[in-house]
Amino acid sequence: MKAAKNAPVEEQPFLASREYLAELRAVLDRLDTAVVDRITEAIWEGYEQGRTLFVFGNGGSAALASHFVCDIGKGTQAPGRKRLRAISLTDNVPLMTAWANDSSYGEIFAEQLLDLVRKGDLVLAISGSGNSENVVRGLRVAREAGAKTIALTGSSGGRVKALADICLVVPSDNMQHIEDAHLFSAHAIFHAIRHRMMQVNGE
């Protein structure tokens, strides 16, 4: 059956996306980009000192940890330059499930860091709420080992705020906006690191 030629155009399904994007723009406008720059500087300093960057989080933040390490590991290579060592603690699923099963889910990052992290390394924790128990415990282990701790979080910052040497707090209570801003920040950091790597090589 053909629709009537003069039938009104239905725009309602598109309003949600417009509203969401408008709200996200407002969040990004309030984001403290100076903190993003501080995180970039810390990672670059760690790179120059030969340190390792460890990244972790849960759910969407776990996906971002893998994404960010993929970008850093593959996208910052430059001829004649050493590589930036970055490890996502969310990628070894057998090890995470072993610790979760034999100890507790709250230990899945802390126990990995006990094996790997060294004084002067960098540990980047991602938590939208800032209160994930395994993220909090991971940051505690990192601090005790003498690592530089960095956190991406949202809302009021949660428990990770007090454990991070540098903490980016997304000014929103909307988890999707927080995660979007974290991805934006991760890409900005990656772009800045890559640009600096290429500049060092005269490109």
Side-chain angles (χ1 to χ4, degrees):
M1 183 176 178
K2 294 183 179 180
K5 289 184 178 180
N6 297 323
V9 177
E10 179 58 65
E11 294 186 356
Q12 188 64 33
F14 301 101
L15 292 179
S17 61
R18 292 193 191 111
E19 290 174 0
Y20 181 87
L21 292 174
E23 292 167 356
L24 177 59
R25 288 189 193 98
V27 171
L28 293 177
D29 284 342
R30 298 195 308 273
L31 191 67
D32 192 344
T33 54
V35 177
V36 179
D37 290 340
R38 287 180 60 203
I39 295 171
T40 302
E41 290 297 327
I43 293 174
W44 182 258
E45 182 179 335
Y47 162 73
E48 290 189 313
Q49 295 174 356
R51 309 300 186 185
T52 301
L53 170 66
F54 298 95
V55 191
F56 55 90
N58 294 289
S61 299
L64 179 55
S66 295
H67 184 156
F68 183 55
V69 168
C70 176
D71 283 347
I72 289 290
K74 178 66 169 62
T76 63
Q77 297 178 31
R81 292 286 294 179
K82 65 182 180 181
R83 298 189 179 190
L84 197 163
R85 294 199 303 270
I87 298 173
S88 170
L89 300 184
T90 63
D91 290 346
N92 192 330
V93 175
L95 185 57
M96 285 195 299
T97 58
W99 279 118
N101 185 67
D102 298 340
S103 182
S104 76
Y105 190 69
E107 299 292 341
I108 63 172
F109 302 131
E111 290 292 350
Q112 290 188 71
L113 286 169
L114 284 169
D115 292 340
L116 299 170
V117 72
R118 298 291 180 267
K119 184 176 181 179
D121 285 339
L122 295 98
V123 173
L124 171 58
I126 309 170
S127 173
S129 69
N131 292 314
S132 298
E133 183 63 28
N134 52 16
V135 172
V136 170
R137 293 187 193 183
L139 283 174
R140 285 177 180 159
V141 167
R143 288 179 68 86
E144 289 169 3
K148 190 173 190 67
T149 53
I150 303 167
L152 305 183
T153 184
S155 191
S156 63
R159 295 160 64 195
V160 303
K161 187 175 181 180
L163 296 170
D165 296 312
I166 307 173
C167 186
L168 177 68
V169 181
V170 177
S172 176
D173 294 320
N174 182 306
M175 187 58 68
Q176 283 65 54
H177 289 161
I178 292 169
E179 291 180 346
D180 287 336
H182 287 172
L183 177 59
F184 164 87
S185 301
H187 277 161
I189 293 165
F190 158 71
H191 177 78
I193 294 290
R194 184 178 187 280
H195 180 70
R196 189 173 298 188
M197 194 80 78
M198 296 306 174
Q199 278 189 323
V200 169
N201 285 272
E203 294 187 16

